[in-house]
Every structure is written in C-alpha cells, then in structure tokens.
C-alpha cells in the first residue's frame, strides 16, 4: 500500500512515545506514577452526570444531532462567555460545538490554508496545533518562547518572507506546556499584528479557569471585541473534568465559524445530545465544582513544587494550568527524551519531554499534576533517587 506524504509529519507524538515507554516499564514490573498526560483524575459534577443520565432515557436523544439541534448548547455557551468576559456573542452565527478544542485547532487549518501557506505556531506548543497544519499541507513557522520573554513570542522577529505567505497565527494562554499567562496588552498587540498582516488569529483557551491568582486570564476577544480576525476555542475537559465526554466549542468571527462548520460537516455529525445536555448543566449550573477543581490543582502545585525545592530542584511556581514546566538539571539539559525514558524505566515516574512540544522545549520536562499530593511527593522522592544516581 502507498500512503500520503502528510503522514510522515504525523509520526512523532510526545504522548504516543511516552505511552510506549510506560508500557515497557509496566511490563518490567514498575509501579507507574503517570505525570505525562494532562487528563484530569477528578470527576465531573453530580448535576452534570444527572443531566446526561436523564437524557439516556429520552429516546428523542438517540438519533443524529444536526446543527439546529445544538441551539440550546450554543445559547448556553454564548451566555457563559458574555457573563465571563462582557463580550456579546450571537449563538446562531458565532458559536460552534466541537469535540473538544483539539478538534477546532486540528480542523480549522483545512478551512484557512492552501498547500504551502504558513501558520505561525508557538514553540513549544501543543502537538495538535502542528498536526492540523500538516493535515492541511501547510508550512509551520515556529515562534520561539523563552523564559527571558515570559514565554511570549516576539512578533517583530517573524521574517517578512514568511509573513507574506502566512495565513494564520495560533496562540494559547494560559500556555501548555510552559504554564505562562499572556496579559491583555500582548493580545492587543497580537490582534493589531494580525490585522496588519491579514492573518487569522486563533486562540486555544482550555485553561481559562485553571488560574491560581486573583486576576482572570484574558480572552482574545477582549482584545478583538468586534471579532475582526479572531476565533477562540474552549473545552469543558479541564474546568469541568469532562475530558472523556469530548465537548468544547468555538466562539468568534462569524465567517471563521461558518468555514469551520463546513469542514466539520464533511467529517462528522455532532455528539450525542445527552453530552450537550450535560455541558449545558455545567455552563449554567453552580460553579462550585470549578472552584473545587482550581483549589485542588493549586494544592497539588504547591505540594509538588515544595517537594522539588526540598530535593534541590529549583522550579518556578506556575501561575496557571495543571502542569509544572521544569528546566532540566545537568547532565540532562539537552536530552529531555532520554531523561523521561530513563526516568520511567528506572522509577516508574512518567513525564513528558519538552522536546516533544517543539525545538524550543528542549531542556525542559513537563509534569502533569493529576494525582493527589501524597502520590506527587512519592514521585519526587523517586525522582530524587534517579537524579542522585545519574
């Protein structure tokens, strides 16, 4: 058989690579503490589960769900957004249900890019952002993120020849994997830049609630209230612990929403209506569960950072997300893949190598805080023994 050349660009995947390493460690009898995948271990709220369970008994929910049948969900999403950020949203033309925000970032390039067009992506960044560009036969220009620049891209460094062929820029703050938060002033700069260069501005926003400081993380539409060039992707996976239910949505420019809807229509129908009913309950119900989730990850962050500091690994305390982005100590500073492979083989602790998120991620490792504090502290004890022996 012959396969398309685009598959060559999709072979490397940080999660798949670590999954193989974890399997080998388990086969060797290791007790695995998996800090490699950002999949919340917390449950969805009871009123969300009740809404889904009730839907199962309603036979009218068992058929295909077309766009008009998602109206109640789109209204709930628009209302949630307006209440949160003060931006009016038309649920008919400016909201689109998605199978998680990853679907949006993977499919939107098909609606924007022609073969050879450039997409400007964060480096390091989430792997599906690059995957969507490769599927659309586009080219990637990586925008390096460094600690010196607070993990924000320097837009002025993008070469003019690249900009002349670029069609979209993808941002994502609070950022996975670096945990950085972008201020509204940076978003305003990015909007003006994209308007000047005729770029679509895509903002992946899954960690909207997972912020451990008093101020909220800004939305890109606060910098582009007219939705002139912007589209933003949300998910209920993180705030509402609904990762397995695969529900998210896009909000933004009506033309971009319509274009993404055209791509989506060629790929799938919408999710089961009961899942949307659960999402409506999540967005419109009390937000105590969200507050509990944020408090839980903050507690885990504090425990993990304190444990790392006790063993001499000085890592900055993240202000957001469910991750810790740690610069590797010698002798691993330029070999994050070997560090993570050896770590899981030797100790059973699984983490994600920074190089898997892009060239600028080399020298770092990402830990996902998806266990209770006592398990996280056990993981650090194992890491300490590994560092002493390496």
């Amino acid at each position: 058989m012959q396969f398309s050349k685009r598959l060559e660009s999709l072979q490397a995947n940080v999660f798949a690579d670590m999954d193989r390493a974890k399997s080998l460690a388990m086969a060797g009898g290791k007790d695995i503490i998996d800090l490699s995948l950002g999949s919340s271990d917390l449950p969805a709220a009871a009123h969300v589960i009740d809404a889904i369970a009730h839907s199962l008994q309603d036979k009218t929910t068992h058929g295909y769900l077309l766009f008009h049948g998602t109206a109640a969900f789109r209204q709930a999403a628009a209302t949630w957004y307006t209440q949160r950020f003060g931006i009016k949203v038309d649920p008919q033309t400016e909201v689109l249900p998605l199978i998680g925000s990853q679907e949006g970032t993977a499919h939107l390039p098909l609606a924007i890019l022609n073969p050879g067009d450039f997409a400007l992506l964060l480096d390091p960044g989430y792997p599906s952002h690059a995957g969507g560009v490769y599927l659309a036969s586009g080219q990637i220009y990586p925008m390096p993120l460094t600690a010196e620049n607070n993990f924000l891209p320097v837009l002025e460094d993008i070469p003019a020849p690249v900009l002349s062929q670029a069609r979209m820029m993808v941002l994502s703050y609070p950022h996975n994997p670096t945990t950085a938060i972008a201020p509204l002033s940076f978003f305003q700069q990015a909007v003006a830049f994209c308007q000047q260069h005729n770029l679509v501005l895509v903002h992946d926003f899954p960690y909207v609630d997972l912020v451990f400081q008093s101020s909220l993380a800004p939305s890109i539409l606060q910098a582009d209230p007219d939705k002139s060039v912007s589209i933003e992707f949300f998910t209920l996976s993180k705030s509402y612990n609904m990762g397995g239910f695969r529900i998210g949505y896009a909000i933004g420019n009506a033309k971009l929403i319509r274009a993404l809807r055209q791509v989506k229509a060629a790929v799938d129908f919408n999710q089961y209506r009961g899942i949307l009913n659960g999402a409506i309950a999540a967005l419109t119900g009390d937000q105590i569960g969200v507050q509990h989730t944020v408090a839980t990850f903050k507690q885990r962050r504090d425990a993990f950072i304190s444990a790392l500091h006790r063993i001499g690994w000085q890592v900055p305390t993240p202000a957001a997300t469910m991750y810790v982005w740690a610069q590797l100590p010698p002798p691993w500073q330029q070999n994050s893949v070997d560090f993570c492979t050896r770590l899981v083989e030797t100790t059973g602790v699984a983490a994600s190598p920074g190089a898997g998120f892009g060239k600028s991620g080399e020298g770092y490792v990402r830990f996902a805080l998806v266990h209770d504090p006592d398990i996280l502290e056990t993981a650090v004890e194992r890491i300490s023994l590994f560092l002493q022996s390496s």
Side-chain angles (χ1 to χ4, degrees), residues 315-336:
V315 176
T317 301
T321 78
M322 60 200 316
Y323 309 111
V324 169
W325 183 241
Q327 189 167 18
L328 286 166
W332 305 100
Q333 288 178 328
Q334 294 302 316
N335 210 339
S336 59

Side-chain angles (χ1 to χ4, degrees), residues 105-140:
T105 58
H107 283 164
L108 186 63
L110 293 169
I112 296 174
L113 301 179
N114 289 314
D117 286 344
F118 270 100
L120 313 176
L121 305 187
L122 300 178
D123 174 20
Y126 190 64
S128 77
H129 298 170
V133 176
Y134 289 134
L135 287 174
S137 299
Q139 300 186 75
I140 291 173

Side-chain angles (χ1 to χ4, degrees), residues 53-76:
H54 180 76
S55 300
L56 290 170
Q57 307 305 319
D58 180 0
K59 65 180 182 180
T60 67
T61 70
H62 295 180
Y64 290 126
L65 181 61
L66 301 179
F67 180 76
H68 72 273
T70 69
F73 172 75
R74 286 183 279 115
Q75 181 62 64

Side-chain angles (χ1 to χ4, degrees), residues 60-344:
T60 67
T61 70
H62 295 180
Y64 290 126
L65 181 61
L66 301 179
F67 180 76
H68 72 273
T70 69
F73 172 75
R74 286 183 279 115
Q75 181 62 64
T79 300
W80 179 93
Y81 184 87
T82 299
Q83 291 175 344
R84 175 66 67 92
F85 297 109
I87 305 294
K88 291 185 178 180
V89 177
D90 184 344
Q92 182 64 24
T93 63
E94 296 178 339
V95 183
L96 183 69
L98 297 172
I99 305 173
S101 63
Q102 182 165 325
E103 182 203 354
T105 58
H107 283 164
L108 186 63
L110 293 169
I112 296 174
L113 301 179
N114 289 314
D117 286 344
F118 270 100
L120 313 176
L121 305 187
L122 300 178
D123 174 20
Y126 190 64
S128 77
H129 298 170
V133 176
Y134 289 134
L135 287 174
S137 299
Q139 300 186 75
I140 291 173
Y141 178 81
M143 300 184 291
L145 307 181
T146 64
E148 292 75 16
N149 290 321
N150 299 314
F151 297 110
L152 300 174
V154 181
L155 304 183
E156 295 79 10
D157 288 348
I158 302 170
V162 170
L163 281 174
S164 68
Q165 300 179 66
R167 299 293 177 265
M168 63 188 292
M169 176 190 291
V170 181
L171 302 176
S172 183
Y173 292 96
H175 185 238
N176 175 16
T178 71
T179 78
I181 298 176
L184 183 59
S185 59
F186 171 77
F187 282 168
Q188 291 166 338
Q189 177 190 359
V191 168
F193 185 87
C194 290
Q195 290 171 336
Q196 177 185 354
H197 295 285
N198 196 27
L199 301 174
V200 170
L201 181 51
V202 181
H203 187 227
D204 194 12
F205 202 19
Y207 300 99
V208 52
D209 287 302
L210 289 183
V211 177
F212 311 122
Q213 56 189 35
S214 58
S215 58
L216 295 174
S219 159
I220 201 69
L221 298 184
Q222 290 176 287
D224 187 15
D226 295 330
K227 310 176 189 73
S228 63
V229 295
S230 305
I231 186 170
E232 194 157 54
F233 296 125
F234 297 81
T235 177
L236 280 79
S237 297
K238 311 301 182 183
S239 300
Y240 299 97
N241 303 311
M242 295 180 67
F245 294 98
R246 307 311 306 135
I247 177 67
Y249 52 96
I251 284 183
N253 178 279
K255 292 181 180 179
L256 293 173
I257 293 291
R258 184 167 63 249
L260 182 55
R261 181 181 168 189
Q262 286 179 267
V263 173
K264 184 176 175 64
V267 176
D268 59 51
F269 290 103
N270 292 285
Q271 299 93 312
Y272 169 55
R273 188 190 299 270
I275 293 175
L276 268 67
N277 289 341
I280 292 169
L283 293 170
T284 61
D286 71 63
Q287 303 298 295
I288 295 174
V290 177
Q291 297 167 17
H292 172 73
T293 293
V294 175
T296 297
F297 280 107
K298 184 177 185 296
Q299 180 188 30
R300 293 174 177 185
R301 177 204 66 174
D302 293 344
F304 192 72
I305 291 293
S306 294
L308 287 177
H309 288 179
R310 284 197 301 271
I311 69 169
W313 194 346
Q314 298 303 314
V315 176
T317 301
T321 78
M322 60 200 316
Y323 309 111
V324 169
W325 183 241
Q327 189 167 18
L328 286 166
W332 305 100
Q333 288 178 328
Q334 294 302 316
N335 210 339
S336 59
V337 173
D338 278 0
F339 173 85
C340 290
T341 302
R342 289 276 305 280
L343 180 67
V344 73

Side-chain angles (χ1 to χ4, degrees), residues 45-55:
H47 67 280
V48 172
I49 301 302
D50 288 345
I52 297 172
H54 180 76
S55 300

